[in-house]
Amino acid sequence: MKESSNMSSSNKKRIALLVVVGICLLVYFFVPAVNKGVNSSIKTLTKLDLDGVIEYIRGYGTYAAVISFFLMILQSIISPIPAFFITLANAAIFGWVKGAILSWSSAMVGAAMCFYIARILGRDVVEKIATKTALESVDVFFKKYGKYTILVCRLLPFISFDVVSYAAGLTSMGFWPFFIATGIGQLPATIIYSKVGELSGSAKTLVIGLLSLFAISVIIFMIKKIYNDRQAKKSAKVE
């Protein structure tokens, strides 16, 4: 009886989420202003141009903070672009303290949404959003660090926040342990990026270059790790 009740509750949540997604898609496709705004936001993020992101957010004047909040959530759900671009932009526009608060709070909302999307819709759907390879890269951390994975991954600058949130939603981890660990883990990176965002000229370019280099190194390491693990499993089966 209890199992039947849990299944019913799960189905209701799935239906409710699908209805919300359906409404969002209808608004996106049939409201020109929304369609244009979302497409413009995605285009701005995918250019990987910090000055472009800053200019884009500033262009909304008094609504700049709202747009930044929306960009962070959008990035969390559908974009593989590192969130630090938005964090750096927030610091440059609002100052490092206000920028850090805005970046941290919007990232928390985005993380919660990713967690529940994964929890309700399951791995098959998440693999289409975040890609199978990205999820497998985070699965390595969950196998190694268990419940401490969220803190470990949040402290690593270029492990994608959204992929970690999606992956956590696919585990048995409760929402509040996930949310609290995310909040604590994101603080150091948010503060550091916000301070970097206040730098100018060659110093800022150097730091961003080093961060980007580190990002590429981490990605290569994770891909190599997944490849080696797969080869090891194939060898074990042959033997």
Side-chain angles (χ1 to χ4, degrees):
M1 188 74 176
K2 185 176 181 180
E3 184 177 346
S4 176
S5 176
N6 289 336
M7 288 181 64
S8 176
S9 175
S10 178
N11 287 334
K12 287 179 180 178
K13 289 178 180 178
R14 180 183 286 263
I15 292 170
L17 182 56
L18 290 174
V19 168
V20 171
V21 170
I23 292 172
C24 290
L25 288 174
L26 287 173
V27 171
Y28 170 75
F29 285 114
F30 294 102
V31 180
V34 174
N35 184 285
K36 183 179 179 181
V38 172
N39 289 343
S40 177
S41 298
I42 294 174
K43 184 178 180 181
T44 299
L45 289 175
T46 53
K47 283 182 178 179
L48 294 177
D49 177 13
L50 177 58
D51 291 333
V53 175
I54 292 173
E55 184 180 347
Y56 180 81
I57 295 174
R58 272 187 175 149
Y60 283 89
T62 54
Y63 297 101
V66 176
I67 295 303
S68 172
F69 202 98
F70 165 76
L71 282 179
M72 185 68 82
I73 293 175
L74 181 68
Q75 179 279 144
S76 297
I77 297 173
I78 67 172
S79 174
I81 307 304
F84 82 91
F85 273 96
I86 302 173
T87 305
L88 292 172
N90 285 341
I93 297 169
F94 306 105
W96 87 265
V97 175
K98 291 181 180 178
I101 293 172
L102 175 60
S103 299
W104 183 84
S105 58
S106 56
M108 290 296 288
V109 173
M113 292 177 71
C114 291
F115 179 91
Y116 274 115
I117 287 172
R119 179 59 53 91
I120 296 170
L121 298 182
R123 191 176 187 96
D124 289 341
V125 173
V126 172
E127 284 184 354
K128 291 179 173 62
I129 301 172
T131 76
K132 185 176 181 179
T133 301
L135 279 177
E136 288 178 345
S137 70
V138 178
D139 287 340
V140 172
F141 284 92
F142 273 99
K143 288 178 182 177
K144 187 172 183 179
Y145 299 107
K147 64 181 181 179
Y148 300 106
T149 297
I150 303 300
L151 273 175
V152 171
C153 287
R154 296 306 189 196
L155 290 170
L156 293 174
F158 285 97
I159 298 296
S160 173
F161 281 11
D162 49 313
V163 176
V164 173
S165 300
Y166 280 128
L170 297 173
T171 68
S172 59
M173 177 179 290
F175 173 73
W176 285 112
F178 158 79
F179 196 68
I180 292 170
T182 295
I184 295 172
Q186 280 189 163
L187 270 178
T190 301
I191 292 172
I192 291 171
Y193 296 151
S194 296
K195 289 298 290 183
V196 170
E198 281 199 324
L199 297 176
S200 60
S202 58
K204 186 174 184 177
T205 301
L206 175 62
V207 173
I208 293 174
L210 290 173
L211 290 174
S212 300
L213 180 62
F214 182 64
I216 294 171
S217 301
V218 170
I219 291 170
I220 292 173
F221 171 79
M222 294 309 301
I223 291 174
K224 185 177 179 182
K225 173 70 174 172
I226 293 169
Y227 175 78
N228 289 339
D229 288 346
R230 285 180 175 176
Q231 291 301 113
K233 287 180 182 178
K234 287 181 181 179
S235 298
K237 287 181 180 179
V238 172
E239 294 175 1

